[in-house]
Amino acid sequence: ALERGAAVAARVRSVDAETGVVALAADDRVAAASNGDAGDGWTFRALCVGQRVRCVVKRRLATGLVVTCCGGVLAGAIDREHLEASLDDDDAFLQDAAYAPGAALEARVLLIDRAAKVCRLSCAPH
């Protein structure tokens, strides 16, 4: 819920210099900032580079993870070098329960391919 003095992301629609009144429109990223469940208006249009999202591992490959994010609405990939743990050994990575299908991860959006509807993510500390 909005409260007086709360910070919000918005676009300025108009400014009346005489009265000082500013008309605002909610930015597309406002909905994305809450990281809500599926059906809360998640789209690739609302996703922003640098945004933190919750992900669920769908598949583990030798090169990284295939994940869904934003309540399963969006698809993404996390390259192995962008995972928190330093797993140089292939067998250790493929056996690590933290990256098993169904595991939940926090990640940051690195790249958004809107045409392919896929994003690249990172779990590495930034």
Side-chain angles (χ1 to χ4, degrees):
L2 285 177
E3 297 177 12
R4 184 182 177 116
V8 296
R11 257 184 253 160
V12 176
R13 292 181 52 179
S14 65
V15 177
D16 185 333
E18 191 173 305
T19 63
V21 173
V22 178
L24 302 172
D27 192 310
D28 292 337
R29 293 170 289 194
V30 173
S34 67
N35 201 10
D37 295 328
D40 282 350
W42 280 100
T43 65
F44 269 91
R45 185 170 181 246
L47 203 60
C48 304
V49 171
Q51 178 180 345
R52 294 186 63 78
V53 294
R54 287 183 294 257
C55 302
V56 175
V57 176
K58 289 299 176 190
R59 287 184 37 206
R60 179 172 29 195
L61 308 171
T63 57
L65 305 172
V66 176
V67 300
T68 60
C69 50
C70 308
V73 177
L74 306 176
I78 304 173
D79 292 331
R80 199 159 135 185
E81 52 270 6
H82 285 283
L83 296 172
E84 290 180 72
S86 173
L87 297 167
D88 295 328
D89 179 23
D90 286 346
D91 290 331
F93 171 68
L94 293 172
Q95 300 299 322
D96 193 331
Y99 304 118
L105 304 169
E106 282 277 326
R108 185 175 309 279
V109 177
L110 294 178
L111 173 101
I112 305 164
D113 183 342
R114 294 190 197 304
K117 298 202 178 211
V118 174
C119 58
R120 292 286 182 180
L121 304 147
S122 175
C123 292
H126 289 88

